[in-house]
Amino acid sequence: MIKAFCIGMFKTGTTSIGKAFEILGYNTLHGPWWPKGIMINDPFYERPDYWPFYYKNIKKIISRYDAFQDYPWMFLYKEIREWYPTSKIILTLRDPDQLAISDIEMLKRLNIPEKNIPNKDKFINRYILHRKKVLEFFEGDKDFLKFNIFKGDEWSKICDFLNKDIPNTDFPHLNKSQ
């Protein structure tokens, strides 16, 4: 099976894509993922020079699954394309302001002290920069898909891209805010 990676930023529907992968028959690794016993705490990808140390472990874990979503895949898209040139890459999209609100609310639910939560602009800027870099990198790539659950993208779009039959079930919409 050709590997599929969801490289969308946090709070863009990555959990829903992970569930969709499962429904479509992919052996899916749900994030966040870190090497055994180690937590790579770099949610703003501020230490890219730190990641190559873990490439061997990351490749090993990739060999065990067919599909991937959440952290750290969104930050490793260039490496993924190099390591798995025929893989299917999905970028999930969302309104930046709504993404930031959702990220902040999630951190509050996790009881992160408000003084330790970055301001809204930091989340927005991370998302916009990530989206820009990914779109530039994958421009013209036939194995790349933009997918926006929040604007109605569902089974037909993802199944056409992955060459899968549309399942007889509703598209998953997980982690919706109340």
Side-chain angles (χ1 to χ4, degrees):
M1 180 177 286
I2 292 175
K3 295 192 182 296
F5 294 85
C6 176
I7 62 166
M9 190 52 66
F10 308 106
K11 312 314 286 175
T12 60
T14 59
T15 303
S16 297
I17 293 293
K19 183 63 176 176
F21 284 153
E22 282 184 353
I23 293 168
L24 294 172
Y26 287 89
N27 179 21
T28 304
L29 177 61
H30 300 275
W33 174 83
W34 298 280
K36 187 175 182 179
I38 298 166
M39 180 175 179
I40 302 173
N41 188 8
D42 190 18
F44 287 88
Y45 200 57
E46 294 167 323
R47 302 179 323 185
D49 56 323
Y50 185 67
W51 289 87
F53 179 76
Y54 298 101
Y55 285 175
K56 183 177 179 182
N57 289 342
I58 291 168
K59 286 184 199 178
K60 192 175 192 178
I61 198 75
I62 289 173
S63 71
R64 298 181 189 144
Y65 295 88
D66 304 315
F68 309 82
Q69 56 85 207
D70 211 330
Y71 188 78
W73 318 113
M74 77 273 282
F75 297 133
L76 301 175
Y77 61 89
K78 291 179 183 177
E79 291 83 355
I80 289 166
R81 179 47 85 224
E82 179 184 329
W83 300 335
Y84 299 93
T86 61
S87 61
K88 298 289 191 171
I89 307 292
I90 299 170
L91 175 66
T92 46
L93 303 169
R94 185 175 190 179
D95 173 80
D97 191 64
Q98 292 302 309
L99 172 139
I101 292 167
S102 184
D103 247 328
I104 291 167
E105 290 304 313
M106 177 195 65
L107 293 173
K108 287 178 182 177
R109 284 191 306 276
L110 293 172
N111 296 317
I112 304 296
E114 285 201 44
K115 67 181 175 108
N116 295 341
I117 298 175
N119 68 38
K120 188 174 163 183
D121 288 341
K122 185 159 184 174
F123 292 102
I124 290 171
N125 292 336
R126 173 183 66 182
Y127 171 73
I128 290 172
L129 181 61
H130 175 72
R131 182 183 64 197
K132 178 182 184 287
K133 286 180 176 181
V134 167
L135 292 173
E136 287 173 358
F137 184 80
F138 286 102
E139 186 176 359
D141 188 322
K142 67 178 179 48
D143 292 319
F144 173 75
L145 177 71
K146 295 183 288 184
F147 195 85
N148 193 328
I149 292 169
F150 303 91
K151 290 195 174 183
D153 289 346
E154 291 206 3
W155 285 125
S156 60
K157 187 169 185 175
I158 198 168
C159 288
D160 183 53
F161 177 67
L162 297 173
N163 196 27
K164 296 282 189 177
D165 293 332
I166 296 174
N168 190 20
T169 187
D170 291 338
F171 192 85
H173 292 274
L174 306 176
N175 291 345
K176 282 184 173 181
S177 297
Q178 298 302 321

